[in-house]
């Protein structure tokens, strides 16, 4: 049973300024509980805004550190879910349910990637 | 291979089946509460799947597909129960009695789904069924595995497994096993029966040779998933968390247990960087939960998990705290004595007090009928004799162990050890 990492990407420049509504947090909390009860969720978390983040870059044998926010990226990772599912189709179904907890004015992309084993 | 980004429309092939697989344990559980028969419940759940396969591709996937499937299946269940009641009344009118009438129950509200699921767990793992039947039924109803998948995982012919499942359902019906979670004096034994099923499924996968069929090692993950589900359904049961902790920790070593060509790698020789840290952390968390809700001494699963945790804490084999492990095996032997536990205790003792005292323990097991065909007894004994410099005796033990080993690759390993004793 493979593990999948769902990277939740949002466009920080066009995300709702007031952040997630209490109703959204409630629906998301209920869904995460459901995914956990299904024995699927291994770990999940939301990240603080990229303004508080830093990028450490390695190129040509040189290190450089850049402070956030990372405005040049259209979408940045805002959270993740690590799930163990029977197959990609199951991971996608849970991901769709996660996205559907958001109101219509949200634009969110989940990039679902299988974790390489062995 | 698809390289163009393709947007998959809703209702495409396979989506219905995927949703059904996710939802089916809960649907079967919810419907069993109405019809009181897991066999009939499973058929009604299948009917709901057929309805979805007909309607969703045409009308789109409903907003809450799980609720749709549940409502459809329960609707049919209630119809069935009403038909039965009418039939029973008709028989009564003409002065005859029906053997079984099922009382009609209002369908449960969504909060009761967990309770129904737990009832289904206890029903599928009921001790009136043999361990084999419990395993097959649990994988089918709660793991969502198909009969061919179960057959392949257990290296059994498909008709055998199909028969086993049919008979198990019939036994539950004829013995009138109630659809309930036990709270009486037999609760502990009944829970033990559930935990045993999950443990046996895990071991079936764990003992399997890696690489010949992926479905066998996959049983470890099925068992782990069932354990994780149960831990959420019964958060106050320390032994449930103990079992989950044990399985998480055992599974954390999966990638290191076999070499490139599938040769088993002993704990001593495993590359510990390949141990999965996430699963180790989850194992520790489950063990902490077990201790937090425990009111008495730790149970056998929690003790075995503590032993596995002790190994997981050692970054190198040399760092292993054998004294702690020997103590834990001592507690385990006192709590649930078994020759296998004693054999493992001997290994730990050999690491703290040397091969001599360990051999004394092993020699008390020589006449154990339970270990007569157990290849690890001569294997451990051979190891102790080799360390004591008694190579000729060691060699004979390794050869005996090789003859008993049921796994081809393990056999090669033991033959190689015998060769070293020249």
């Amino acid at each position: 049973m493979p593990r999948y990492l769902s990277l939740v990407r949002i466009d920080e420049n066009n995300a709702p300024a007031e952040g997630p509504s209490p109703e959204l947090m409630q629906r998301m909390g209920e869904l995460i509980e459901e995914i956990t009860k299904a024995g699927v969720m291994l770990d999940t978390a939301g990240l603080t805004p990229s303004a508080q983040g830093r990028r450490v870059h390695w190129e040509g044998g040189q290190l450089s550190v850049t402070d956030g926010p990372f405005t040049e990226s259209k979408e940045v990772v805002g959270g993740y879910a690590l799930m163990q599912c029977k197959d990609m189709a199951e991971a996608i179904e849970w991901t769709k349910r996660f996205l559907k907890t958001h109101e219509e004015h949200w634009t969110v992309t989940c990039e679902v990637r299988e974790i390489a084993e062995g | 291979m698809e390289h163009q980004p393709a947007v998959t429309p809703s209702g495409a092939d396979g989506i219905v089946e995927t949703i059904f697989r996710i939802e089916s344990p809960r649907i079967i559980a919810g419907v069993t509460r109405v019809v009181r028969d897991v066999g009939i419940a499973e058929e009604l759940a299948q009917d709901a799947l057929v309805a979805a396969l007909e309607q969703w591709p045409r009308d789109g996937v409903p907003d809450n597909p799980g609720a749709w499937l549940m409502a459809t299946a329960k609707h049919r269940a209630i119809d069935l129960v009403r038909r039965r009641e009418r039939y029973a009344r008709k028989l009564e009118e003409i002065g005859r009695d029906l053997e079984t009438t099922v009382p009609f129950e209002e369908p449960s509200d969504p909060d009761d789904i967990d309770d129904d699921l737990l009832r289904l767990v206890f029903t599928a793992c009921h001790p009136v069924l043999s361990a084999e039947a419990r395993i097959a039924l649990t994988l089918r109803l709660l793991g969502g595995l198909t009969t061919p998948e179960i057959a392949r995982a257990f290296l059994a012919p498909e008709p055998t497994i199909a028969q086993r499942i049919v008979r198990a359902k019939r036994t539950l019906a004829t013995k009138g096993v109630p659809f309930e979670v036990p709270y009486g004096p037999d609760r502990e034994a009944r829970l033990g029966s559930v935990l045993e099923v999950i443990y046996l499924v895990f071991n079936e996968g764990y003992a399997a040779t890696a690489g010949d069929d992926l479905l066998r090692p996959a049983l470890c993950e099925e068992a782990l998933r069932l354990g994780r589900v149960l831990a959420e359904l019964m958060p106050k049961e320390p032994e449930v968390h103990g079992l989950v902790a044990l399985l998480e920790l055992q599974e954390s070593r999966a990638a290191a247990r076999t070499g490139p060509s599938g040769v088993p790698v002993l704990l001593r020789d495993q590359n510990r960087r390949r141990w999965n840290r996430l699963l180790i952390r989850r194992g520790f968390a489950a063990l902490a939960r077990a201790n937090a809700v425990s009111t008495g001494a730790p149970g056998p699963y929690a003790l075995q998990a503590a032993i596995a945790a002790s190994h997981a804490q050692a970054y190198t084999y040399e760092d292993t705290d054998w004294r702690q492990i020997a103590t834990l095996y001592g507690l385990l032997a006192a709590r649930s004595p078994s020759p296998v536990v004693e054999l493992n205790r001997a290994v730990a003792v050999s690491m703290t007090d040397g091969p001599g005292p360990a051999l004394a323990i092993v020699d008390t097991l020589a006449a154990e009928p339970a270990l007569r065909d157990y290849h690890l007894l001569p294997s451990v004994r051979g190891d102790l004799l080799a360390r004591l410099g008694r190579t000729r005796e060691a060699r004979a033990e390794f050869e005996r162990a090789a003859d008993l080993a049921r796994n081809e690759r393990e056999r090669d390993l033991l033959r190689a050890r015998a060769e070293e004793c020249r």
Side-chain angles (χ1 to χ4, degrees):
Chain A
M1 228 187 282
R3 288 191 279 262
Y4 297 89
L5 181 64
S6 173
L7 295 160
V8 186
R9 297 180 176 278
I10 51 164
D11 178 354
E12 285 183 325
N13 305 318
N14 295 310
E18 69 283 2
S21 65
E23 295 79 14
L24 169 57
M25 294 309 285
Q26 172 76 17
R27 285 192 298 270
M28 211 183 281
E30 282 167 5
L31 180 73
I32 288 168
E33 187 183 334
E34 190 187 335
I35 304 175
T36 305
K37 279 184 167 163
V40 168
M41 186 70 86
L42 298 179
D43 191 21
T44 182
L47 308 184
T48 56
S50 76
Q52 295 166 44
R54 288 182 142 198
R55 278 183 179 169
V56 187
H57 186 67
W58 171 254
E59 190 176 0
Q62 296 295 312
L63 282 168
S64 59
V65 181
T66 321
D67 290 353
F70 309 123
T71 43
E72 76 285 3
S73 313
K74 174 125 176 53
E75 286 181 324
V76 293
V77 176
Y80 69 91
L82 182 60
M83 298 177 288
Q84 186 151 21
C85 302
K86 299 208 177 192
D87 53 26
M88 179 60 100
E90 191 183 298
I92 294 298
E93 178 57 29
W94 288 116
T95 302
K96 283 179 179 172
R97 293 184 190 187
F98 166 78
L99 288 170
K100 278 167 73 177
T101 61
H102 294 72
E103 292 92 353
E104 282 184 18
H105 61 262
W106 282 85
T107 301
V108 191
T109 306
C110 283
E111 184 180 319
V112 183
R113 305 279 297 272
E114 185 175 335
I115 289 181
E117 300 288 353
Chain B
M1 284 297 288
E2 266 286 4
H3 287 295
Q4 289 172 311
V7 179
T8 319
S10 273
D13 276 354
I15 286 189
V16 184
E17 286 88 344
T18 297
I19 292 171
F20 182 75
R21 204 176 52 196
I22 288 173
E23 303 294 341
S24 81
R26 289 188 292 185
I27 296 166
I28 293 168
V31 174
T32 306
R33 190 143 91 110
V34 179
V35 298
R36 303 278 153 170
D37 181 301
V38 293
I40 295 170
E42 200 189 7
E43 282 171 32
L44 291 167
Q46 290 287 341
D47 287 351
L49 169 64
V50 171
L53 284 167
E54 285 166 0
Q55 293 176 42
W56 294 2
R58 190 185 61 217
D59 313 337
V61 177
D63 242 1
N64 187 340
W68 189 100
L69 288 164
M70 180 72 95
T72 305
K74 277 202 169 169
H75 195 81
R76 284 158 197 248
I78 291 160
D79 277 352
L80 181 75
V81 170
R82 288 207 174 115
R83 273 206 306 277
R84 277 194 201 157
E85 284 177 341
R86 274 202 302 276
Y87 179 58
R89 270 202 304 276
K90 279 213 167 65
L91 286 180
E92 236 170 79
E93 282 164 21
I94 56 171
R96 282 172 52 194
D97 208 12
L98 192 70
E99 277 173 36
T100 51
T101 56
V102 181
F104 169 66
E105 285 213 21
E106 274 306 308
S108 52
D109 72 80
D111 293 346
D112 291 338
I113 288 178
D114 286 354
D115 300 346
D116 288 342
L117 201 53
L118 195 54
R119 288 187 185 103
L120 184 61
V121 170
F122 275 98
T123 304
C125 297
H126 197 282
V128 350
L129 304 172
S130 70
E132 279 183 337
R134 275 184 265 153
I135 286 169
L137 199 58
T138 301
L139 286 173
R140 170 72 169 266
L141 298 179
L142 293 149
L145 271 73
T146 62
T147 302
E149 282 173 337
I150 299 169
R152 263 179 57 203
F154 282 86
L155 308 177
E158 219 174 293
T160 308
I161 298 293
Q163 260 304 318
R164 197 175 288 168
I165 291 170
V166 168
R167 268 205 299 268
K169 288 176 191 165
R170 199 181 305 139
T171 304
L172 290 174
T174 52
K175 301 259 180 185
V177 168
F179 187 63
E180 63 182 19
V181 176
Y183 285 104
D186 63 342
R187 181 180 165 91
E188 199 170 332
R190 293 283 309 276
L191 179 60
S193 174
V194 172
L195 297 177
E196 184 193 34
V197 166
I198 296 174
Y199 187 66
L200 289 173
V201 171
F202 185 89
N203 274 341
E204 185 71 30
Y206 195 79
T209 317
D212 47 4
D213 190 341
L214 283 176
L215 263 176
R216 291 175 59 65
L219 284 174
C220 293
E221 289 159 344
E222 290 294 341
L224 202 41
R225 187 192 270 211
L226 289 169
R228 288 168 183 161
V229 170
L230 194 62
E232 298 305 316
L233 292 173
M234 305 184 88
K236 291 192 174 68
E237 288 290 346
E239 276 294 82
V240 176
H241 297 302
L243 175 65
V244 171
L246 174 63
L247 303 191
E248 299 271 14
L249 291 162
Q250 295 273 45
E251 187 63 9
S252 74
R253 302 204 289 260
R257 283 182 66 231
T258 47
S261 54
V263 182
V265 181
L266 299 171
L267 185 66
R268 186 176 49 203
D269 305 323
Q270 284 175 15
N271 176 357
R272 298 188 175 214
R273 288 187 192 149
R274 301 194 69 196
W275 288 3
N276 186 307
R277 306 314 302 182
L278 171 76
L279 293 179
I280 289 175
R281 274 201 309 280
R282 290 182 58 90
F284 276 99
L287 194 52
R289 276 177 94 182
N291 293 332
V293 298
S294 176
T295 49
Y301 287 117
L303 284 168
Q304 290 176 77
I307 292 163
S310 207
H311 284 297
Q313 268 171 315
Y315 278 101
T316 66
Y317 183 72
E318 291 67 34
D319 292 339
T320 309
D321 186 346
W322 289 106
R323 196 153 298 283
Q324 185 186 48
I325 291 170
T327 305
L328 288 165
Y329 271 120
L331 291 171
L332 186 59
R335 176 73 205 248
S336 49
S338 91
V340 175
V341 169
E342 212 43 22
L343 186 62
N344 282 313
R345 190 171 73 85
V347 173
V349 166
S350 82
M351 303 304 288
T352 54
D353 306 342
L359 190 62
I361 299 173
V362 171
D363 286 344
T364 63
L365 302 170
E368 276 290 346
L371 297 183
R372 209 184 50 203
D373 299 328
Y374 191 56
H375 68 283
L376 288 180
L377 177 62
S379 160
V380 168
R381 196 161 185 273
D383 193 56
L384 297 173
L385 289 165
R387 282 162 63 187
L388 288 163
R390 292 157 63 177
T391 42
R392 192 173 328 151
E393 292 166 88
R395 185 176 175 180
E397 290 289 351
F398 284 132
E399 280 169 354
R400 206 156 69 87
D403 291 341
L404 289 172
R406 274 184 301 185
N407 174 317
E408 193 58 52
R409 291 172 172 130
E410 231 165 342
R411 203 173 300 148
D412 295 342
L413 200 72
L414 289 160
R415 292 243 153 79
R417 296 237 31 207
E419 279 305 303
E420 287 167 20
C421 299
R422 277 186 183 276

